[in-house]
Amino acid sequence: MHSETPDEITTVPRQPTRTHGAMLPSEIPPGVQEVILPSGERALAYSTGPTNSPQVPVPAAPAAQPIPAWAKATALLAPTVGGGIAIAAVGLSAAAPGLVAVSHVLWSAVAAIAAGGVVAGAVIGRVRARITAAQRPHITQHITASGMFGRANGTINHR
């Protein structure tokens, strides 16, 4: 007791007080944490992961593996094949006039073969006609009729 005051003074433990609507740390719900914005202001934000997550060890980077032989061979062949195609294209462009001439010759040959087939067919037909003409009988007919509506009479001769 104090000598000047007759009343007894007791002390109560001081609790944190709110300032400007701020929440006490015990009032923050789970999954929400206090963050400091780039402007220096403090704000509450939802956390994207667990608040007390244990440190997950980061796996070590895999060791470098040698390049397979087939990959090396393919990488070496790719420019060679591309160069071969380019040379073939240059060769075809140089040979184009000759190829056009060859195509004209081939079309002429096809036309000559077709014309030869037609001529051969005609010759074979005439030869057959002469051969069979000696063996076939020759038939002639003479038909006569008198008047516009008259009855027709005819004779057939075999030779």
Side-chain angles (χ1 to χ4, degrees), residues 71-87:
K72 287 181 182 178
T74 303
L76 291 173
L77 282 176
T80 305
V81 171
I85 291 172
I87 291 173

Side-chain angles (χ1 to χ4, degrees), residues 23-33 44-47 51:
M23 296 179 78
L24 297 174
S26 61
E27 294 177 334
I28 297 175
V32 176
Q33 61 186 14
L44 296 178
Y46 287 103
S47 63
T51 55

Side-chain angles (χ1 to χ4, degrees), residues 24-133:
L24 297 174
S26 61
E27 294 177 334
I28 297 175
V32 176
Q33 61 186 14
E34 185 179 7
V35 294
I36 299 175
L37 300 175
S39 64
E41 196 176 346
R42 293 178 181 257
L44 296 178
Y46 287 103
S47 63
T48 56
T51 55
N52 295 331
S53 63
Q55 293 293 332
V56 178
V58 177
Q65 297 180 357
I67 298 172
W70 65 266
K72 287 181 182 178
T74 303
L76 291 173
L77 282 176
T80 305
V81 171
I85 291 172
I87 291 173
V90 169
L92 281 176
S93 68
L99 292 175
V100 170
V102 167
S103 71
H104 288 296
V105 168
L106 289 176
W107 279 115
S108 299
V110 168
I113 290 171
V118 170
V119 169
V123 168
I124 290 173
R126 286 195 176 199
V127 169
R128 279 191 181 169
R130 283 189 180 176
I131 291 173
T132 57

Side-chain angles (χ1 to χ4, degrees), residues 133-142 156-159:
Q135 298 170 357
R136 279 190 303 197
H138 186 71
I139 300 173
T140 57
Q141 292 182 343
H142 295 285
I156 297 175
N157 297 320
H158 295 280
R159 293 186 196 175

